[in-house]
């Protein structure tokens, strides 16, 4: 297949390009980092790039938590307007296959169980609780401590910041395109992706990048809250393989299918910081008690659907991936 990869010069996109090439496909990179004229919001540029394409792997996006609502317009422009322009051009060109870089942020908090009330959905954490060091969500019915679990794709969506809202809107736009065009659409809801070529210390990088960047400066990684936040850290090469598998799959036409894309093995943020520091050679992490309002406490993936339906499974184990990442090159 000839596959247009938007964001193909970026962290995940560049690995997708390599994985496509290794499987005998022809990736075409569309990325402002490689070509300033390759803006996914430019209909003419997108139309030219789609010439001869059999599929699109849409990785281009502005990522990260953002700055409250101050940069909402920029997020909506890059993520949602850009996706709308791309989909309209795909419909005009008759390109029938789309794989979208989705995100676990669409869920808000993960899955929780109360010993008395079963599965519950706690609301956003209050600043007063976070200021007091009360980081764990409580049962909204009785206030009891909750047990976190793995979130499945059928969980209700609850985006809690601007970035999350734009990622959910991308899925809705892709679903509308699939229904209107008869195309196939897959959203891979990435969990915490890490690995070589990750962007270094920027406001829009993942927590693993902040830790690795601090170590490179000779500083201790700063771990927010109490470090016990649970995440699913998945290696970028496994994510790239998931994209290729999704592009090659016989997806249902006229609909969007979402898949959690994670390792399936939760680790705490503190564990990631400690493992990176040990692999790098120190200094040891510092737990600060700071927080970012809008962050969720626990979000870990049940990736069983992706394994069962598409035959994908992660190959890079956490310890091996962290050791590699501790000394891997990073991007500015």
């Amino acid at each position: 297949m000839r596959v247009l990869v938007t964001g193909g010069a970026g962290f995940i996109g560049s690995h997708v390009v390599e994985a496509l090439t290794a499987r005998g496909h022809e990736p075409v990179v569309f990325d402002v980092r490689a070509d300033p004229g390759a803006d996914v919001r430019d209909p003419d540029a997108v139309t030219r790039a789609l010439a001869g394409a059999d599929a699109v792997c849409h990785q281009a996006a502005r990522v990260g938590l953002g700055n409250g609502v101050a940069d909402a317009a920029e997020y909506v422009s890059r993520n949602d307007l850009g996706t709308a322009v791309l989909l309209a051009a795909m419909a005009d060109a008759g390109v029938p296959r789309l794989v979208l870089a989705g995100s676990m942020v669409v869920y808000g908090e993960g899955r929780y169980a109360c010993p008395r009330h079963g599965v519950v959905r706690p609301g956003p954490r209050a600043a007063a609780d976070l200021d007091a060091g009360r980081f764990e969500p409580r049962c909204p019915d009785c206030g009891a401590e909750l047990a976190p679990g793995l979130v499945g794709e059928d969980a209700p969506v609850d985006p809690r910041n601007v970035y999350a809202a734009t990622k959910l809107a991308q899925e809705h736009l892709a679903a509308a395109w699939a229904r209107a065009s008869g195309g196939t659409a897959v959203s891979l809801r990435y969990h915490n992706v890490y690995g070589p070529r990750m962007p270094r210390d920027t406001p829009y990088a993942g927590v693993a990048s902040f830790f690795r960047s601090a170590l490179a400066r000779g500083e201790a990684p700063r771990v927010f809250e109490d470090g016990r936040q649970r995440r699913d850290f998945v290696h970028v090469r496994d994510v790239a393989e998931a994209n290729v598998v999704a592009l090659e799959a016989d997806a249902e036409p006229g609909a969007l299918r979402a898949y959690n894309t994670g390792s399936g093995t939760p680790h705490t943020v503190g564990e990631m910081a400690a493992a990176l520091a040990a692999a790098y050679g120190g200094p040891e992490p510092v737990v600060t008690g700071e927080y970012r309002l809008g962050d969720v406490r626990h979000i870990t993936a049940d990736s069983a659907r992706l394994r069962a339906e598409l035959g994908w499974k992660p190959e890079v184990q956490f310890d091996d991936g962290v050791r590699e990442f501790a000394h891997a090159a990073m991007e500015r």
Side-chain angles (χ1 to χ4, degrees):
M1 284 189 292
R2 181 179 172 90
V3 182
L4 180 66
V5 184
T6 69
F11 167 45
I12 298 175
S14 63
H15 287 274
V16 171
V17 167
E18 291 176 356
L20 285 166
T21 302
R23 294 276 273 272
H25 299 293
E26 181 187 356
V28 177
V29 173
F30 186 84
D31 193 309
V32 292
R33 283 160 290 204
D35 176 1
D39 190 331
V40 75
R41 295 168 294 182
D42 182 340
D44 292 335
V46 173
T47 296
R48 290 192 297 270
L50 282 170
D54 303 298
V56 173
C57 188
H58 186 29
Q59 305 292 319
R62 184 166 187 173
V63 300
L65 184 62
N67 182 23
V69 296
D71 48 6
E74 182 69 11
Y75 271 88
V76 170
S77 175
R78 291 186 180 274
N79 296 356
D80 298 338
L81 175 59
T83 298
V85 169
L86 173 66
L87 294 171
M90 289 176 65
D92 287 343
V95 180
R97 302 179 70 86
L98 171 71
V99 172
L100 171 68
S103 176
M104 54 83 176
V105 295
V106 301
Y107 298 116
E109 287 284 355
R111 186 180 189 274
Y112 293 88
C114 170
R116 180 177 175 186
H117 294 99
V119 176
V120 296
R121 290 189 61 78
R125 297 180 295 169
D129 286 334
L130 298 170
D131 286 335
R134 294 188 293 268
F135 301 120
E136 293 291 345
R138 296 280 178 158
C139 176
D141 297 319
C142 68
E145 292 186 8
L146 300 175
L150 302 181
V151 63
E153 292 88 349
D154 295 329
V157 292
D158 185 17
R160 296 188 176 182
N161 55 60
V162 167
Y163 170 64
T166 66
K167 295 307 290 183
L168 183 58
Q170 283 185 310
E171 289 193 358
H172 290 321
L173 290 166
W177 164 81
R179 287 192 295 271
S181 69
T184 63
V186 168
S187 177
L188 297 176
R189 290 175 175 171
Y190 300 159
H191 281 248
N192 289 74
V193 186
Y194 74 99
R197 300 199 292 273
M198 196 173 191
R200 65 184 61 180
D201 205 5
T202 74
Y204 308 108
V207 65
S209 170
F210 282 106
F211 297 158
R212 173 67 170 76
S213 299
L215 290 165
R217 295 192 301 269
E219 300 171 2
R222 296 176 60 83
V223 180
F224 280 15
E225 301 187 19
D226 58 4
R228 297 175 183 171
Q229 311 93 298
R230 287 159 54 99
R231 296 290 187 268
D232 186 319
F233 295 100
V234 59
H235 196 275
V236 66
R237 287 196 298 273
D238 285 331
V239 169
E241 287 298 326
N243 276 270
V244 178
V245 167
L247 284 164
E248 294 175 341
D250 293 326
E252 178 184 356
L256 178 137
R257 187 68 162 161
Y259 295 96
N260 286 335
T261 308
S263 71
T265 304
H267 290 275
T268 68
V269 171
E271 286 172 343
M272 168 56 87
L276 262 178
Y280 191 84
E284 294 184 359
V286 175
V287 178
T288 69
E290 298 171 86
Y291 66 86
R292 295 193 308 175
L293 196 64
D295 271 351
V296 298
R297 178 61 174 174
H298 305 296
I299 177 70
T300 52
D302 180 351
S303 298
R305 176 186 289 181
L306 183 55
R307 295 171 185 243
E309 294 186 8
L310 301 188
W312 171 89
K313 64 176 183 178
E315 299 291 343
V316 181
Q317 299 300 311
F318 179 78
D319 291 342
D320 296 334
V322 169
R323 280 194 295 269
E324 177 197 25
F325 180 52
H327 301 282
M330 299 180 72
E331 299 295 326
R332 292 188 180 275

